């Protein structure tokens, strides 16, 4: 493995470009009035238009055009003053018209970029184009195997047919799986901030294909391009790229030629498998969609949309560092998702110390979310909860152990932190009178450690404080307990 | 014979209905009687809707009885070419592949007419997917021309033209992609009008070639053309290519005359080999009548129009190859039995479901859009189209209208051109340019050939200027007083 890594580093350079498909979260579909909703019973969000009935015509969804322009602006693209829809012709039963309305040589947005950070370094990834099209339906192959080959029948669900879909095509500017992962993460965060998509990879509202090739360092020419499909998560992308990098490198080292092909990522087996070779590439017979007028967005409208752009993740990260004092790492964690950033900012404006809030969010709160498979928005815990927690901790009303308990309880029940602290008796005991009795008991029960401390072994104090904490059920203020112990043991004794 | 109710114009009938002189149901029964008398010989209808028609006529009569005001299309028997989707009524486009298809929705023109109280008597036969000039490409057998049963009615809207010519409907809608309203109107001796592209919504019109498809009308006179156009024209939010402008009321100003109007005569076209002498003479005579009415006439030319036919036969098949891809047996319509997988089922369905001419055009279009050929064929054809559009703009700087024969010949015999697609295509040589340019044009009858077949006179106008086209047509119609009727009808009452 170490050998392979060296070879990779010195003998080949990986070149990666990503094509991402984004389902827009408009209320209705791209060219008809049907609801754009995930998870409805099959063929319930359909009408003559999106079923491709004879005589029906497409009418563009203005909101979808707006969202696409916003994406283009956020990615620094030029918004084309004149772009058109094309028909992409091929036969597939999940496509009701047997052509897809898409964009071809005149896309809506061209020439932008997305900056990503990997290992503290910023890389600029070029965006070739952002265009608008319609999604297809879904085919379910039925019968013995459930696979296409050997299926006894196929069922079509056209709920998704005609859902507005944006394609974001990057330049082949990424050089590692880490960079590709950072790009997809940053793109998802950007789309999320814009509020234009649910960006749920597991539901298919964000899908990604990767083009990957290897070449000798310094070479300007690209190697044989392999397209990887079926990447359903950022993790899949990362794993698939690592696998493919390795596979191609081994082949090249052995002098085996690579063929230009499409490969499928098999998540279970952790490998890519051969899909379709280039010679089977479709001739899509693109031509301008005659049922639609060219898209010529009013420049005034574009400027309005530009002015309305929300803060994007990169700017947010910078602000969290500069204005709120977060570390680059903390800012990266908290600011990269609009959902997290909103929660964080609400916590801060409810009075919490920013760094403490960020630590709790990325530590205990993140762990609780992971354990319960919840999103932050869906969780019962609120920014007010967290702010209260940070405040009580800061004022030493509760211990950090108590705070953990309080957060878990608030997370589970939605009860206020105050109430949890009272109910669970988490309030720290800090007055010497109340602690005095416990301290006496601890000294009595632990003669050996007491003796060691008295002989100058400072480290034992922690153990003794721990014993006091235990006795108090976590309610003792450890600082006060330590002071009292020290006072009591260094005194007359 | 004395004219029956079904032989009158819509505006005559509308006046009688409003005055209480006749009832809508009487007009309908007269029309249904006529259908019973002649449809077997003409094969005009693919689907008859008399049950629904009686209900619609009854509703109009009730409204009249309540002294409610009814509009100009109320109670008037109407036929629709079978490419207009009608909710709950089978719509086949003249194709086996849609033989069982019952649309779940109404096209916009029918929706508007229905709201106005129109009475639909049936869906008319046509060339399969509106591809043809003789109606011989219908999967359900050809329509015959009421003027001579051995001849074709023209196409592709042959059924609608024949229906209006034979009293089986007072008016009808058709579609004009390369002349499919005007040419059959010419061959059947009725008025066929095609307005500006986008003036009438295409929503619910089964597409042949989207950028060329126009809805058009068949009527007994020009006033009726203006009336039905006013009823169906105007913006439709469901058609993104529909004109945003509200449609004017086309009946106003019809009788303003042609004094001082500049008429451009398409002398090149008149001189084309293949134009029958009777057609040439009749069209020239009509031009003289216009001059007699105060218009001026000079030679006009459209230098690139010669290439229009070639451009049309690249653009139309290209669009059709894509538009007709949806007929695959998956969601509706005909599905061929057997087939091991979806692709095989698609191929069997399309192989058995489409006729020869449709397949020919799908193949032509698929080829011309293919990688490596696009620029030479489709791209080039679009450039030619632009040149023809400029020619028209140029010509309309000098002239208010351009005139020509509608078709080089009168109705030809069944089978005469079926073996020679190119000869058939030439039948639309004078009508195609208006479709390529999207400009309004009308065909009105201007005389009979020595063998008793009608001749059509074409008047072409500038973009959006339906009013002038209709005004010239009206003036000429009033002057010509073309009153001949198909011998078939004369024989009925004898
Ligand atoms: Zn729909």
């Amino acid at each position: 493995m170490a050998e392979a890594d060296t070879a990779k580093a010195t003998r080949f350079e990986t070149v990666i470009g990503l094509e991402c498909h984004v389902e827009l979260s408009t209320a209705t579909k791209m060219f008809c009035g049907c609801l754009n909703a995930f998870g409805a019973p099959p063929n319930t969000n359909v009408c003559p238009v999106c079923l491709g009935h004879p005589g029906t015509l497409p009418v563009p969804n203005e909101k979808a055009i707006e969202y696409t322009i916003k994406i283009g602006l956020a990615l620094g693209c030029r918004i084309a003053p004149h772009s058109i829809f094309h028909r992409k012709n091929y036969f597939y039963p999940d496509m009701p018209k047997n052509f897809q309305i898409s964009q071809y040589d005149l896309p809506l947005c061209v020439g932008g970029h997305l900056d990503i950070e990997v290992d503290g370094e910023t890389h600029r990834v070029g965006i070739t184009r952002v265009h608008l099209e319609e999604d297809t339906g879904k085919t379910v192959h039925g019968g013995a195997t459930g696979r296409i080959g050997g299926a006894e029948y196929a069922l079509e669900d056209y709920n998704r047919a005609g859902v507005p879909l944006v394609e974001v095509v990057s330049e082949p500017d990424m050089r590692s799986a880490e960079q590709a992962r950072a790009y997809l993460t940053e793109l998802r965060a950007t789309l999320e901030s814009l509020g234009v998509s649910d960006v749920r990879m597991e539901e298919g509202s964000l899908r990604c294909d990767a083009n990957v090739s290897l070449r000798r360092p310094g070479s300007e020419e690209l190697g044989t391009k392999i397209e990887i499909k079926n990447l359903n998560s950022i993790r899949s992308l990362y794993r698939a790229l690592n696998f493919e990098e390795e596979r191609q490198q081994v082949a090249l080292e052995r002098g085996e030629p690579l063929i230009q092909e499409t490969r499928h990522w098999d998540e279970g087996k952790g490998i890519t498998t051969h899909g379709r070779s280039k010679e089977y590439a479709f001739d899509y017979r693109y031509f301008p969609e005659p049922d639609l007028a060219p898209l010529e967005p009013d420049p005034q409208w574009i400027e309005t949309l530009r002015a309305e752009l929300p803060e994007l993740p990169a700017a947010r990260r910078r602000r969290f560092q500069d204005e709120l004092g977060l570390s680059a790492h903390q800012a990266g964690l908290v600011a990269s998702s609009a959902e997290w950033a909103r929660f964080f900012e609400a916590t801060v404006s409810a009075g919490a110390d920013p760094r403490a809030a960020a630590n709790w969010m990325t530590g205990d709160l993140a762990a609780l979310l992971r354990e319960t498979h919840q999103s932050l928005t869906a969780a019962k815990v609120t920014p007010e909860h967290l702010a209260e927690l940070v405040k009580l901790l800061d004022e030493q009303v509760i211990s950090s152990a108590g705070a953990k308990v309080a957060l878990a309880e608030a997370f589970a029940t939605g009860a206020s932190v105050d109430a949890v602290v009272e109910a669970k008796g988490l309030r720290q005991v800090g007055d010497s009178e109340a602690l005095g009795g416990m301290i006496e008991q601890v000294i009595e029960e632990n003669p050996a450690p007491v003796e060691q401390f008295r002989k100058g072994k400072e480290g034992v104090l922690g153990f003794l404080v721990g014993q006091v904490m235990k006795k108090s059920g976590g309610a003792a203020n450890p600082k006060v307990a330590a002071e009292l112990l020290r006072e009591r043991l260094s005194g007359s004794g | 014979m004395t004219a029956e109710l079904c032989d009158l114009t819509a505006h005559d009938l509308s006046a009688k209905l409003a005055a209480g002189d006749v009832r809508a149901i009487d007009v309908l029964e007269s029309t249904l009687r006529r259908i019973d008398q002649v449809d077997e010989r003409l094969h005009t209808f693919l689907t008859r809707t008399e049950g629904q028609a009686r209900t619609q006529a009854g509703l109009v009569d009730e409204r009249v009885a309540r002294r409610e005001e009814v509009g100009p299309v109320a109670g008037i028997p109407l036929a629709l070419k079978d490419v207009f989707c009608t909710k709950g009524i089978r719509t086949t486009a003249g194709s086996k592949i849609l033989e069982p298809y019952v649309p779940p929705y109404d096209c916009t023109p029918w929706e508007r007419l229905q709201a106005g109280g129109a009475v639909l008597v049936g869906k008319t036969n046509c060339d399969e997917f509106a591809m043809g000039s003789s109606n011989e490409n219908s999967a359900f057998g050809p329509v015959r021309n009421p003027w001579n049963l051995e001849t074709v009615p023209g196409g592709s809207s042959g059924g609608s033209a024949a229906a209006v010519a034979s009293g089986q409907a007072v008016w009808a809608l058709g579609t004009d992609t390369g002349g499919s309203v005007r040419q059959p109107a010419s061959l059947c001796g009725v008025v066929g009008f095609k307005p500006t592209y986008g003036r009438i919504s295409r929503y619910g019109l089964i597409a042949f070639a989207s950028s060329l498809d126009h809805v058009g009308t068949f009527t007994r006179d020009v006033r009726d053309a203006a009336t039905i156009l006013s009823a169906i024209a105007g913006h439709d939010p469901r058609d993104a290519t529909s004109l945003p402008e509200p449609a004017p009321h086309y009946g106003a100003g019809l009788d303003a005359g042609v004094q001082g109007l500049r008429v451009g005569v398409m002398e090149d076209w008149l001189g084309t080999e293949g134009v029958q002498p009777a057609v040439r003479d009749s069209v020239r005579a009509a031009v003289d009548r216009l001059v007699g009415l105060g218009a001026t006439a000079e030679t006009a030319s459209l230098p690139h129009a010669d290439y229009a036919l070639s451009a049309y036969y690249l653009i139309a098949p290209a669009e059709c190859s894509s538009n007709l891809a949806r007929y695959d047996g998956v969601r509706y319509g005909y599905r061929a039995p057997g087939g091991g997988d979806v692709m095989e089922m698609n191929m069997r369905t399309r192989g058995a479901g489409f006729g020869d001419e449709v397949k020919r055009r799908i193949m032509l279009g698929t080829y011309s859009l293919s990688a490596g050929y696009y620029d030479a064929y489709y791209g080039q054809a679009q450039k030619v189209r632009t040149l023809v559009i400029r020619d028209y703009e140029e010509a309309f700087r000098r002239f208010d209208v351009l005139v020509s024969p509608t078709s080089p010949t009168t109705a030809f015999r069944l089978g005469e051109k079926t073996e020679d697609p190119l000869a058939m295509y030439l039948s639309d040589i004078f009508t195609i340019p208006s479709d390529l340019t999207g400009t309004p044009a009308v065909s009105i009858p201007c005389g009979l050939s020595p063998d008793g077949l009608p001749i059509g006179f074409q008047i072409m106008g500038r973009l959006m200027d339906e009013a002038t086209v209709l005004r010239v047509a009206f003036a000429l119609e009033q002057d010509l007083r073309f009153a001949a009727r198909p011998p078939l009808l004369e024989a009925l009452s004898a």
Side-chain angles (χ1 to χ4, degrees):
Chain A
M1 198 59 206
E3 255 178 47
D5 280 344
T6 320
K8 188 161 81 185
T10 56
R11 294 169 58 187
F12 294 105
E13 178 182 51
T14 307
V15 177
I16 300 166
L18 298 184
E19 288 174 19
C20 296
H21 283 98
V22 186
E23 277 181 4
L24 300 181
S25 53
T26 50
T28 56
K29 290 187 181 182
M30 183 63 223
F31 296 114
C32 66
C34 288
L35 279 186
N36 169 17
F38 181 82
N43 297 310
T44 50
N45 290 331
V46 293
C47 72
V49 176
C50 58
L51 287 176
H53 270 258
T56 56
L57 296 170
V59 178
N61 181 338
E62 197 177 315
K63 206 74 188 167
I65 296 165
E66 177 187 316
Y67 282 8
T68 310
I69 293 175
K70 279 185 174 173
I71 295 170
L73 291 172
L75 296 174
C77 294
R78 187 173 67 81
I79 308 305
H82 173 95
S83 81
I84 61 174
F85 286 107
H86 269 73
R87 288 189 187 176
K88 181 180 182 179
N89 295 283
Y90 63 101
F91 281 81
Y92 203 79
D94 68 10
M95 205 166 48
K97 302 183 293 292
N98 283 318
F99 62 79
Q100 179 190 28
I101 302 177
S102 182
Q103 294 199 283
Y104 183 51
D105 54 357
L106 293 171
L108 186 48
C109 320
V110 285
H113 58 82
L114 184 64
D115 291 340
I116 55 168
E117 268 173 53
V118 176
D119 298 332
E121 268 185 66
T122 302
H123 300 266
R124 175 155 289 195
V125 178
I127 302 291
T128 316
R129 57 188 282 156
V130 176
H131 80 235
L132 183 54
E133 59 190 26
E134 57 179 337
D135 210 343
T136 60
K138 276 183 186 162
T139 304
V140 179
H141 293 278
T145 64
R147 294 181 60 96
I148 296 177
E152 284 155 21
Y153 58 87
L155 298 173
E156 298 297 337
D157 176 5
Y158 294 107
N159 282 348
R160 199 182 68 176
V163 163
L165 194 64
V166 159
E167 182 171 337
V168 180
V169 181
S170 88
E171 290 288 314
D173 285 351
M174 287 156 276
R175 297 289 172 267
S176 67
E178 285 75 15
Q179 289 186 3
R181 179 170 63 183
Y183 169 87
L184 186 53
T185 306
E186 187 70 6
L187 179 65
R188 189 175 65 170
T190 303
L191 296 166
E192 192 197 15
S193 300
L194 293 170
V196 296
S197 171
D198 297 335
V199 292
R200 295 199 185 117
M201 291 192 78
E202 67 283 7
E203 288 180 5
S205 57
L206 175 61
R207 312 196 280 272
C208 181
D209 299 333
N211 290 309
V212 54
S213 61
L214 263 53
R215 67 179 173 196
R216 300 276 171 195
S219 164
E220 286 298 304
E221 238 169 88
L222 289 172
T224 305
K225 188 177 82 178
I226 310 290
E227 186 180 18
I228 316 175
K229 288 191 178 283
N230 197 35
L231 303 170
N232 297 324
S233 66
I234 292 177
R235 191 176 121 87
S236 303
L237 170 77
Y238 182 72
R239 291 178 68 208
L241 284 173
N242 274 326
F243 173 86
E244 194 55 27
E245 210 171 13
E246 183 73 19
R247 186 189 73 83
Q248 292 185 27
Q249 184 183 310
V250 168
L252 291 173
E253 279 173 352
R254 288 185 187 150
E256 290 168 5
L258 292 166
I259 52 160
Q260 190 169 335
E261 62 176 334
T262 299
R263 298 184 67 86
H264 276 263
W265 171 244
D266 185 325
E267 180 74 31
K269 293 185 182 151
I271 58 169
T272 63
T273 56
H274 172 70
R276 193 174 68 219
S277 300
K278 196 206 171 200
E279 53 264 38
Y280 299 109
F282 292 111
D283 178 355
Y284 291 118
R285 291 174 284 117
Y286 280 102
F287 76 104
E289 167 55 276
D291 288 328
L292 292 171
L295 283 179
E296 290 172 349
D298 182 354
Q300 202 65 50
W301 185 42
I302 296 173
E303 288 320 306
T304 307
L305 293 177
R306 192 193 303 276
E308 287 171 3
L309 279 187
E311 184 181 42
L312 298 174
R316 202 155 52 210
R317 278 195 299 272
R318 226 172 298 126
R319 182 165 61 81
F320 284 2
Q321 290 177 60
D322 297 349
E323 294 177 15
L324 300 176
L326 298 196
S327 70
H329 179 70
Q330 277 182 320
L333 291 172
V334 175
S336 290
S337 138
E339 186 188 29
W340 279 66
R342 262 195 309 276
F343 193 100
F344 170 71
E345 297 208 76
T347 307
V348 171
S349 51
D353 170 66
R355 276 191 289 191
N359 279 338
W360 279 97
M361 282 183 69
T362 55
D364 284 59
L365 182 53
L368 287 167
L369 290 169
R370 261 198 310 277
E371 281 162 24
T372 54
H373 303 285
Q374 282 189 70
S375 73
L376 192 50
T377 314
K380 286 181 182 150
V381 68
T382 64
E384 289 69 32
H385 288 138
L386 189 58
E388 184 67 14
L389 188 90
V390 171
K391 196 182 109 220
L392 293 179
L393 189 61
D394 187 51
E395 290 168 356
Q396 300 194 11
V397 174
I398 52 176
S399 66
S400 61
K404 280 176 189 289
V405 174
L407 181 63
E409 188 63 16
F411 183 87
T413 64
S416 84
V417 172
D418 260 342
V420 173
V421 166
E422 289 314 321
K424 298 228 153 197
L426 297 174
R427 193 171 288 278
Q428 292 193 112
V429 180
D431 63 299
S432 44
E433 211 154 301
L435 283 176
M438 287 181 233
I439 284 170
E440 288 308 324
Q441 275 180 11
V442 167
I443 290 172
E444 212 159 286
E445 288 163 11
N446 298 283
V450 165
E451 196 50 36
Q452 286 175 330
F453 180 78
R454 284 197 165 130
K455 286 184 176 157
K457 203 163 179 195
E458 277 282 318
V460 182
L461 187 66
F463 170 78
L464 294 170
V465 170
Q467 294 307 304
V468 176
M469 295 305 291
K470 210 187 240 173
K471 248 185 211 332
S472 71
N477 182 332
K479 265 188 200 162
V480 178
E483 269 166 41
L484 288 174
L485 269 168
R486 191 183 291 283
E487 212 170 86
R488 171 74 179 71
L489 294 177
S490 58
S492 58
Chain B
M1 92 182 240
T2 52
E4 309 217 1
L5 287 174
C6 66
D7 294 310
L8 299 181
T9 60
H11 56 86
D12 279 345
L13 288 168
S14 195
K16 287 182 195 300
L17 282 166
D21 294 346
V22 296
R23 296 176 311 157
I25 196 74
D26 302 327
V27 180
L28 174 64
E29 293 302 341
S30 161
T31 308
L32 295 178
R33 227 170 12 251
R34 177 64 56 79
I35 295 174
D36 286 338
Q37 287 170 327
V38 302
D39 188 41
E40 210 163 61
R41 278 173 283 174
L42 296 177
H43 194 26
T44 319
F45 289 97
L46 294 178
T47 303
R48 290 172 56 174
T49 53
E50 53 257 68
Q52 188 178 327
R54 287 197 171 96
T55 308
Q56 288 160 343
L59 288 173
V60 172
D61 286 333
E62 281 173 26
R63 287 170 60 196
V64 172
R66 288 197 301 266
R67 305 210 175 278
E68 281 174 36
E69 199 152 329
V70 295
V73 304
I76 310 297
L78 163 83
L80 294 173
K81 183 182 184 179
D82 211 18
V83 295
F84 289 94
C85 284
T86 41
K87 187 175 180 174
I89 302 168
R90 190 177 77 125
T91 302
T92 69
S95 179
K96 189 183 169 190
I97 212 160
L98 284 177
E99 191 172 0
Y101 180 63
V102 178
Y105 75 105
D106 278 324
C107 67
T108 297
W110 167 230
E111 191 181 75
R112 291 184 179 180
L113 288 169
Q114 211 171 356
V119 175
L120 179 68
V121 295
K123 305 294 292 289
T124 58
N125 200 349
C126 57
D127 283 302
E128 184 176 3
F129 285 103
M131 297 176 202
S133 309
S134 69
N135 222 114
E136 291 163 294
N137 295 335
S138 166
F140 308 106
V143 178
R144 289 167 187 267
N145 190 320
W147 291 82
N148 178 340
L149 298 183
E150 297 311 308
T151 67
V152 303
S156 62
S157 315
S160 283
V164 174
S166 60
Q168 300 183 83
V170 173
W171 52 23
L173 296 188
T175 58
D176 194 311
T177 304
S180 285
V181 164
R182 290 161 289 152
Q183 186 256 18
S186 170
L187 271 51
C188 289
V190 297
V191 175
F193 182 57
K194 172 200 89 81
T196 304
Y197 184 80
R199 182 66 86 190
I200 303 175
S201 170
R202 291 183 295 117
Y203 185 74
L205 154 63
I206 296 181
F208 158 20
S210 310
S211 76
L212 295 157
D213 289 342
H214 296 69
V215 174
T217 61
F218 293 95
T219 55
R220 301 234 167 86
D221 69 6
V222 175
R223 183 173 292 285
D224 277 2
T227 303
I228 193 166
L229 176 63
S230 302
I232 60 178
H235 181 67
D236 177 8
R238 289 172 298 190
D239 176 359
T241 63
S242 132
L243 292 169
E245 293 82 0
H249 177 59
Y250 295 101
L254 266 189
D255 53 1
V258 294
Q259 186 67 43
L261 206 99
R262 301 163 302 168
V263 175
V265 183
M266 293 303 300
E267 283 295 341
D268 295 354
W269 292 6
L270 277 166
T272 304
E273 194 191 344
V275 174
Q276 288 173 342
V279 169
R280 189 174 296 137
D281 294 347
S282 184
V283 167
R284 287 234 159 88
V287 172
D288 290 343
R289 305 293 283 260
L290 284 174
V291 172
L293 292 169
T296 62
E298 275 182 68
T299 300
S301 76
L302 299 165
H304 298 93
D306 288 352
Y307 305 105
L309 189 73
S310 309
Y312 174 85
Y313 275 102
L314 287 167
I315 295 168
E319 293 182 7
C320 118
S321 72
S322 175
N323 282 333
L324 271 59
R326 69 189 63 196
Y327 307 112
D328 57 7
V330 174
R331 291 164 307 280
Y332 47 73
Y334 168 77
R335 177 188 291 179
D341 60 22
V342 173
M343 273 302 148
E344 204 182 320
M345 186 273 280
N346 286 171
M347 288 191 279
R348 279 165 177 255
T349 297
R350 292 167 68 79
F354 287 136
D356 287 347
E357 182 62 23
V358 171
K359 285 179 188 165
R360 182 179 295 125
R361 297 198 196 189
I362 289 174
M363 286 190 284
L364 269 173
T366 302
Y367 183 78
S368 71
L369 288 176
S370 298
Y373 298 99
Y374 181 92
D375 289 340
Y377 294 122
Y378 189 78
Q380 192 68 14
Q382 290 292 12
K383 284 181 196 155
V384 171
R385 186 176 194 171
T386 304
L387 292 175
V388 177
I389 290 170
R390 288 207 192 119
D391 279 358
Y392 269 73
E393 286 167 356
E394 196 56 42
F396 284 123
R397 273 192 262 279
R398 285 181 61 205
F399 301 107
D400 298 302
V401 290
L402 303 175
V403 300
S404 75
T406 304
S407 188
T409 70
T410 55
F412 44 92
R413 302 183 79 76
L414 275 112
E416 190 180 323
K417 299 182 180 182
T418 44
E419 294 311 311
D420 185 355
L422 287 179
M424 185 76 86
Y425 294 171
L426 285 172
S427 189
D428 292 328
I429 190 165
F430 302 146
T431 46
I432 279 173
S434 303
D435 288 312
L436 274 181
T437 56
T439 48
V442 68
S443 176
I444 65 167
C446 64
L448 289 183
S449 67
D451 49 355
L453 291 169
I455 295 166
F457 184 79
Q458 176 171 239
I459 303 161
M460 299 176 278
R462 56 173 72 86
L463 216 55
M464 315 284 282
D465 191 10
E466 287 84 1
T468 302
V469 173
L470 289 169
R471 175 154 65 98
V472 175
F474 184 80
L476 184 59
E477 176 187 72
Q478 296 300 304
D479 196 51
L480 289 170
R481 303 235 158 254
F482 177 85
R485 282 156 44 87
L488 175 78
L489 302 188
E490 302 300 343
L492 285 180
S493 51

